[in-house]
Amino acid sequence: MTINFHGVIKVLGIMLMILAVAMLLPVIVGFYYKEIFEIKTFFKVIIPCLILGVVLFHLKNPSLTKLKARDGFLIVSLTWIISSLVSALPFVISGTIPNYFDAFFEMCSGYSTTGSTILTEIEGLPKSMLFWRSFTHWLGGMGIIVFAMIFLESGVKGQLIASAETPGPTLDKLTPRFSDTARNLYVLYFVFTIIEAVLLMLGGLSLYDALVQTFGTVGTGGFSNYNNSIAHFRSPYIHWVIIIFMTLCGINFNLYFIAFKQSIKAALEDIELRTYLSIIAIFSLAIAAYILIIGYEHSIFKAVTDATFQVVAVITTTGYMTYDFDIWPTFAKILIFLLMFVGASSSSTGGGVKVIRIVVAAKFIKKGINKILHPNRLYEISIGDREIQQETASNIANFIFMYIATIIVGTLLVSLNNFDILTSFSAVLTCIGNIGPGFNLVGPTMNFSIFSDFSKLVLSIIMIAGRLELFTLFMLFSPHYYNSNKA
Amino acid sequence: MNFNYKIILKTISFILLFEGVAMIPSWLAAFKYHETEVMWPLILLSLVSISFGIFFFKKLRDYNRKLTSREGFIIALLSWIIVSMLGSIPYLISIEGYSLADCFFESVAGWTTTSSYVIPSCSMTKSLMLWKATTNWLGGMGILVLTISIFPALGVGGKNIVSSELTGPELTKMSARISDTAKIAYEIYLIMTLIELILLNLGDMGFFEALLNTLSTVSTSGIFDTRGEIILNFSPYTKTVITLFSILASINFKVYFLMYIGQFSRAFKDIEVKSYLLILLICSLICGGALWYSGTYTNIFNALGAATVQVVSFGSTSGFSVSNISTWPTICQAVLIFLMIMGGCSLSTSGSLKAIRVMISFKLIVRGIYKRIHPRAIKPVLLGGNPVKASTATAVTVYIMLFFTMYAGGILLLSLENKDMTTTLTAALSAISNNGSGLGEISDGNYGVFSDFGKIISAILMLLGRLELYAVAVLFSRSFWKPDQVR
């Protein structure tokens, strides 16, 4: 029982073809803005990519239908890594980002929808390049794999691969065939994209600006084509549109279908959704109230807008900024810091630990305390009206430990770069949670250019690991993975 | 809310008696060093305490009822609070210019064996210094009492975690009752104290200074630099002795039990101790290397020496510093913070998570990866060849989550003091792990930078850490207050 490498390669072939086609979009942008040099650069990557993709796809082999879960993990990991590697090429070749480590970091940040950037000066760069950079958020948001599954209906165990992407509480099966579910989710994703872009244009943005910002919102990424992120746009209308769409994309997408098929009330009963919305409400109000009370901010509307924007940006792991939270009083900063450990809802485009895991962990703790007092009583943890298996609860606990362990190891490695401990730590924290901004030297107004190539590489890996929920990537380092005969 | 008030009162009376007696060395020192203004008040306080203690104890002497676990928790919590409150009075008596919160903080730091301070020891009278050292020493003993006798009876910690070999047949061979085990622990503690006292006296310290330092290092409380800092400005010999005894006090006392009953070979095989010492070694090498490489110490031996002392200080949660660690390379700071979180071995005078929990969680993570690959495999977690029970693994998981949850609460409250992030984060961590020093504004352990509110929050965190969290956590459980209502 080894890895079905032929099947893996075939799927990678599809992925490369999709990537090549995706790159045509920035080419169109390039034509519009007359960036001939950049267009040529893109074709230098598109053509080999397309050829290679077609070649790999046609590697004749009938064992394609037997992709197992194990293959799925490899496919997902390789897809993220290879997409980032290939997508970095246009930047390097065109000289927009000459250092390959930088470009790789930027692309990892794109596909993992983190939004951390090594660019110190964004606004002067070619528009097609910036468009491609933001488009990777959109692609990464829904997972390139799920993308591929729509076109590959025959026999591939698509569901197993996707569950590699979001393990933990399972995706409820909404339709009999997985590819139908995937298609529905994509329609929703498209709908959000179009509506937000339209709303932003109604607010005065150009189509280009609207699309860039929309990609970053809907993929919960955080890249902008302006140096000071969303703060560039002064209008509160724009801020609130983005707040709303960040929130929407941080919700479990399955709930939208439940709302559609059953009722909105049924969807609102989901405990993850309620926790998610409550956290947003409480934290936003807490920060807003605090900065008003201590006189830091005088306008109630601005306080609420800024607080809500930053809170939503961090919890959904988008990472956009309208106000530099690093200059807020410590109380507000600590609230933001704590949010970095929560993350968005499961089965959304956001990253982080995920709200449902926090909910289960809290119940786990409560059960633990009660057990001390009543050792002989039986307790079970339930979510809604379903009981959580011991297995699931311990998987969640394992995940949280793995998360902490990765942060610790990552911090140790990045601290070799000898920046202050808060910078090192928050850089790792923001990357594993796919958020974007950290504190101090990697704060919302700063960038990651200060780091060495080694640190950037470490952070790039951490970003992908975080996006793939850790185990998917780390499993590849276990000898058990490749040789199942080794017990 | 029906508690057995008489039992609680009986406990309090015992505390009054006990603490009154503990004050005797201090007023003897006041007598010896001619500190007449404080001597009489101290004598008065001591006698009052003893009298009240005896009075109430005698009245309730015949009242003997078995404790429920709820009452046990209340007693554990109340004892430490009352001990700390009573213990703050000598500070109030002896020194001008410090508030009630300051004295309470100092008292709590003493009893919880945390090295943080607000009153520098150079401004203390000798009798007060001895009082602080006494509280340190007794605090260390108190921890042993808690972990050996009280927590197992309440169903928490210690006994469940330590692999069962000792708490089974061997113990009954040695001693018929748990209280006898505690007595052996005190004997060992006393012997350790005496040996260190003798060794320190052989160095270049005066008797009094040697006494102060012995009392505080054998309880992993820090050192007594009568210049008022916690920076180790002693001779190399003295530093070596202190480092050695910090290690000895922070390893699992089970090792000493085994040696006591003559089982030397098993004593040296204890897995927790071996791992703990190995971790200390690796951390020392990393830090030493970094210190030398960065030029902080030009001589490699000095670098390794300084690193070792610092690593031991943080690993044992003693909290003294060899120099200002804020100036050290970031990798060293990261390693030290990791050690702060890990702490010493279980069943020692150290605090924090404890090495065995860190070991178990590490193994759980590795098993988690394995189980992702082979979801149906049955793979127990082994510790030193013995399987860890599922209930133990769960207990460890809950404890770690609870630790970080309470830490999160701590940093949120402490953030209201508006210090910078690094200070806030490390101050709370240092308190809850009973270490004492951190980074930022509290690198020298001086919590005087906080207002009274911050000092009280820190004091609460110190108590939390010392009581291994549960004693406070149970207060949040509804079934604690209303045991008759089944939830």
Side-chain angles (χ1 to χ4, degrees), chain B residues 64-119:
Chain B
N64 264 318
R65 218 198 67 171
K66 274 194 77 163
L67 285 177
T68 64
S69 66
R70 287 166 65 235
E71 281 150 6
F73 280 114
I74 288 264
I75 287 177
L77 183 58
L78 270 182
S79 315
W80 283 79
I81 293 178
I82 291 175
V83 153
S84 306
M85 278 169 40
L86 185 56
S88 41
I89 302 181
Y91 296 98
L92 280 170
I93 294 175
S94 313
I95 268 198
E96 302 259 322
Y98 287 97
S99 69
L100 191 58
D102 290 330
C103 298
F104 181 65
F105 180 95
E106 203 68 32
S107 178
V108 170
W111 287 102
T112 58
T113 73
T114 311
S115 73
S116 41
Y117 65 92
V118 297
I119 304 175

Side-chain angles (χ1 to χ4, degrees), chain A residues 243-375:
Chain A
I243 289 176
I244 289 170
F245 277 86
M246 287 195 286
T247 311
L248 288 176
C249 293
I251 294 177
N252 187 330
F253 274 35
N254 295 299
L255 288 176
Y256 292 114
F257 293 102
I258 292 180
F260 185 70
K261 289 194 175 165
Q262 296 171 36
S263 68
I264 296 187
K265 188 159 172 289
L268 285 175
E269 276 171 6
D270 181 59
I271 186 158
E272 187 181 27
L273 178 62
R274 289 171 138 182
T275 311
Y276 170 72
L277 293 174
S278 309
I279 294 178
I280 292 178
I282 294 173
F283 275 64
S284 306
L285 287 174
I287 293 180
Y290 185 75
I291 61 179
L292 284 169
I293 290 173
I294 65 168
Y296 185 85
E297 174 60 59
H298 298 288
S299 150
I300 296 182
F301 181 72
K302 186 166 194 301
V304 172
T305 305
D306 285 346
T308 313
F309 191 99
Q310 265 46 251
V311 162
V312 171
V314 172
I315 195 179
T316 58
T317 76
T318 308
Y320 272 141
M321 170 199 86
T322 56
Y323 191 89
D324 182 4
F325 60 66
D326 212 8
I327 62 177
W328 265 343
T330 311
F331 179 70
K333 287 210 280 200
I334 291 286
L335 283 171
I336 297 285
F337 175 75
L338 291 174
L339 278 174
M340 290 185 182
F341 289 92
V342 176
S345 309
S346 56
S347 300
S348 71
T349 60
V353 177
K354 305 293 181 348
V355 176
I356 188 78
R357 290 198 180 98
I358 301 288
V359 170
V360 172
K363 291 186 180 248
F364 203 74
I365 296 176
K366 184 170 159 195
K367 173 178 157 182
I369 295 176
N370 281 329
K371 218 157 164 50
I372 302 284
L373 292 169
H374 302 285

Side-chain angles (χ1 to χ4, degrees), chain B residues 43-172:
Chain B
I43 293 178
L44 186 62
L45 177 65
S46 178
L47 287 175
V48 164
S49 196
I50 294 175
S51 332
F52 269 97
I54 293 179
F55 177 70
F56 282 114
F57 195 74
K58 271 211 167 104
K59 277 192 77 177
L60 297 164
R61 134 167 305 179
D62 300 320
Y63 190 78
N64 264 318
R65 218 198 67 171
K66 274 194 77 163
L67 285 177
T68 64
S69 66
R70 287 166 65 235
E71 281 150 6
F73 280 114
I74 288 264
I75 287 177
L77 183 58
L78 270 182
S79 315
W80 283 79
I81 293 178
I82 291 175
V83 153
S84 306
M85 278 169 40
L86 185 56
S88 41
I89 302 181
Y91 296 98
L92 280 170
I93 294 175
S94 313
I95 268 198
E96 302 259 322
Y98 287 97
S99 69
L100 191 58
D102 290 330
C103 298
F104 181 65
F105 180 95
E106 203 68 32
S107 178
V108 170
W111 287 102
T112 58
T113 73
T114 311
S115 73
S116 41
Y117 65 92
V118 297
I119 304 175
S121 50
C122 59
S123 53
M124 289 189 193
T125 60
K126 290 211 154 74
S127 53
L128 195 60
M129 283 192 232
L130 187 57
W131 175 237
K132 175 136 200 200
T134 311
T135 58
N136 280 337
W137 193 74
L138 291 172
M141 206 195 283
I143 300 164
L144 292 173
V145 172
L146 280 177
T147 43
I148 293 175
S149 313
I150 298 182
F151 285 146
L154 295 174
V156 188
K159 190 162 145 195
N160 299 334
I161 290 177
V162 170
S163 60
S164 51
E165 10 153 348
L166 187 66
T167 51
E170 273 88 3
L171 258 194
T172 48

Side-chain angles (χ1 to χ4, degrees), chain A residues 330-331 370 377 418-419 475, chain B residues 330 373 415 418-419 477 487:
Chain A
T330 311
F331 179 70
N370 281 329
R377 239 202 86 175
N418 220 24
F419 293 109
M475 231 190 296
Chain B
T330 315
I373 302 173
S415 71
N418 217 25
K419 300 286 167 197
S477 161
R487 267 204 119 245

Side-chain angles (χ1 to χ4, degrees), chain B residues 183-467:
Chain B
K183 281 194 202 133
I184 296 173
Y186 303 155
E187 277 178 37
I188 296 172
Y189 192 59
L190 203 58
I191 294 172
M192 239 192 254
T193 312
L194 286 171
I195 299 179
E196 187 180 0
L197 184 57
I198 295 171
L199 286 177
L200 277 184
N201 257 307
L202 293 175
D204 61 353
M205 272 187 178
F207 176 76
F208 189 65
E209 210 184 340
L211 178 64
L212 293 176
N213 278 292
T214 305
L215 293 176
S216 47
T217 47
V218 91
S219 55
T220 67
S221 314
I223 56 154
F224 250 92
D225 186 339
T226 45
R227 261 155 299 194
E229 308 156 359
I230 50 172
I231 292 203
L232 213 46
N233 277 317
F234 302 139
S235 67
Y237 168 75
T238 310
K239 276 194 222 181
T240 312
V241 172
I242 288 178
T243 307
L244 180 63
F245 277 85
S246 299
I247 298 179
L248 290 177
S250 59
I251 63 173
N252 193 329
F253 269 47
K254 189 178 86 172
V255 166
Y256 301 125
F257 287 149
L258 286 170
M259 298 202 309
Y260 189 92
I261 60 177
Q263 300 248 7
F264 285 94
S265 59
R266 276 172 64 203
F268 292 128
K269 281 198 206 139
D270 182 68
I271 184 91
E272 187 185 13
V273 174
K274 281 193 339 192
S275 310
Y276 172 66
L277 293 174
L278 184 63
I279 292 175
L280 289 182
L281 181 65
I282 295 176
C283 291
S284 304
L285 289 173
I286 296 177
C287 283
L291 283 174
W292 174 71
Y293 185 78
S294 68
T296 318
Y297 286 84
T298 41
N299 180 333
I300 180 89
F301 292 112
N302 286 346
L304 282 171
T308 309
V309 176
Q310 196 62 51
V311 159
V312 169
S313 160
F314 271 53
S316 63
T317 72
S318 301
F320 50 81
S321 295
V322 289
S323 75
N324 188 353
I325 55 174
S326 294
T327 61
W328 280 16
T330 315
I331 178 80
C332 299
Q333 293 179 4
V335 166
L336 289 172
I337 291 182
F338 166 72
L339 285 168
M340 222 198 282
I341 297 175
M342 181 181 86
C345 295
S346 55
L347 226 71
S348 73
T349 61
S350 308
S352 207
L353 283 180
K354 305 292 184 347
I356 192 122
R357 290 193 180 100
V358 171
M359 285 163 60
I360 290 179
S361 53
F362 174 73
K363 300 227 166 195
L364 285 174
I365 294 173
V366 170
R367 187 180 75 148
I369 296 181
Y370 183 84
K371 285 195 86 159
R372 279 309 172 95
I373 302 173
H374 299 287
R376 292 191 202 90
I378 298 177
K379 187 172 155 86
V381 175
L382 292 174
L383 206 60
N386 298 323
V388 175
K389 290 200 302 226
S391 57
T392 309
T394 309
V396 167
T397 307
V398 173
Y399 187 87
I400 294 179
M401 289 198 204
L402 195 57
F403 184 87
F404 285 113
T405 307
M406 293 194 156
Y407 173 63
I411 57 176
L412 195 57
L413 288 169
L414 215 52
S415 71
L416 293 166
E417 295 278 304
N418 217 25
K419 300 286 167 197
D420 64 271
M421 288 273 284
T422 309
T423 304
T424 310
L425 292 172
T426 51
L429 183 62
S430 178
I432 201 174
S433 62
N434 300 130
N435 178 308
S437 64
L439 297 167
E441 290 186 54
I442 46 133
S443 345
D444 53 353
N446 187 347
Y447 276 60
V449 298
F450 292 116
S451 74
D452 280 357
F453 173 74
K455 287 168 194 153
I456 294 186
I457 297 293
S458 306
I460 293 174
L461 283 172
M462 289 193 267
L463 282 169
L464 261 180
R466 180 45 69 221
L467 292 167

Side-chain angles (χ1 to χ4, degrees), chain B residues 16-29:
Chain B
L16 289 173
L17 177 59
F18 157 78
E19 200 158 359
V21 168
M23 289 184 199
I24 295 177
S26 297
W27 53 252
L28 285 175

